[in-house]
Amino acid sequence: MIKSIWYSLIVGLVLLASALSANAGDITYTSRIKELVTEKCISCHGQDAPEYGEFEKNKEKFIALSKGPRMDSYPHLIFFIGWPDSGAIMRRLDDGKNTKDGRPGNMYQYLGSSQEERQKNLALFREWIVNWNLKKWPEMTKGEMNGLKVKY
């Protein structure tokens, strides 16, 4: 009886340790993505960047100033992942392996100074955005939209 209790306790602890170590490696906005965005994106998409609507109204002006729409927070990023600008982050960061013409997105080049660094950082984004999808809002199915997961 005592042996089985000890055995159950040990098995339970091993399972708990496995679960905790698996979660410790999860990619979340706060654990990895915020730092990556700060390092690679904030100079053009930071606090001084326009909100999406303002950017759309004056796109040429902001592009000339090297400013894109604001993406310096979790809610700002979600806007370009889920809705209303579904898939925008994925289309812009994609390396071209998911497109018909094989061309990378216009922001892929800024993910790093080398192909190796860009691929490493793209992999982080792809792991963070479960259900990586290049489709725009009208093309996405409800299932694809529900499949998007971006842990805070």
Side-chain angles (χ1 to χ4, degrees):
M1 171 94 167
I2 290 180
K3 245 182 172 178
S4 66
I5 292 173
W6 276 108
Y7 178 75
S8 297
L9 182 61
I10 290 171
V11 168
L13 288 173
V14 167
L15 291 173
L16 178 62
S18 295
L20 290 175
S21 67
N23 287 335
D26 281 353
I27 303 298
T28 66
Y29 174 77
T30 54
S31 72
R32 304 291 292 282
I33 300 302
K34 182 178 181 181
E35 178 183 334
L36 181 58
V37 168
T38 299
E39 181 184 325
K40 302 293 182 191
C41 311
I42 290 302
S43 63
C44 297
H45 297 280
Q47 267 187 320
D48 61 339
E51 294 290 337
Y52 176 75
E54 185 63 27
F55 176 80
E56 284 297 309
K57 285 182 194 174
N58 300 297
K59 194 179 282 192
E60 293 80 24
K61 169 190 161 187
F62 290 115
I63 290 173
L65 295 170
S66 294
K67 293 294 176 190
R70 188 171 177 185
M71 295 185 192
D72 65 333
S73 68
Y74 181 79
H76 281 101
L77 279 176
I78 297 307
F79 184 98
F80 299 98
I81 294 168
W83 187 85
D85 200 7
S86 309
I89 290 283
M90 295 80 103
R91 287 189 300 279
R92 285 165 176 75
L93 295 181
D94 195 74
D95 59 3
K97 294 178 182 169
N98 297 298
T99 62
K100 292 176 185 173
D101 63 7
R103 293 179 55 203
N106 64 332
M107 296 293 130
Y108 175 71
Q109 64 183 322
Y110 300 109
L111 283 176
S113 57
S114 67
Q115 181 66 6
E116 181 181 355
E117 183 183 10
R118 286 187 290 275
Q119 284 294 304
K120 183 184 111 202
N121 290 333
L122 177 61
L124 282 174
F125 269 102
R126 288 185 67 118
E127 189 173 339
W128 177 55
I129 302 171
V130 176
N131 196 23
W132 186 263
N133 192 321
L134 306 186
K135 293 179 181 176
K136 294 181 179 185
W137 166 247
E139 302 164 349
M140 289 183 82
T141 67
K142 183 178 179 184
E144 289 168 331
M145 186 62 82
N146 286 340
L148 288 171
K149 306 284 185 245
V150 282
K151 293 182 183 177
Y152 182 76

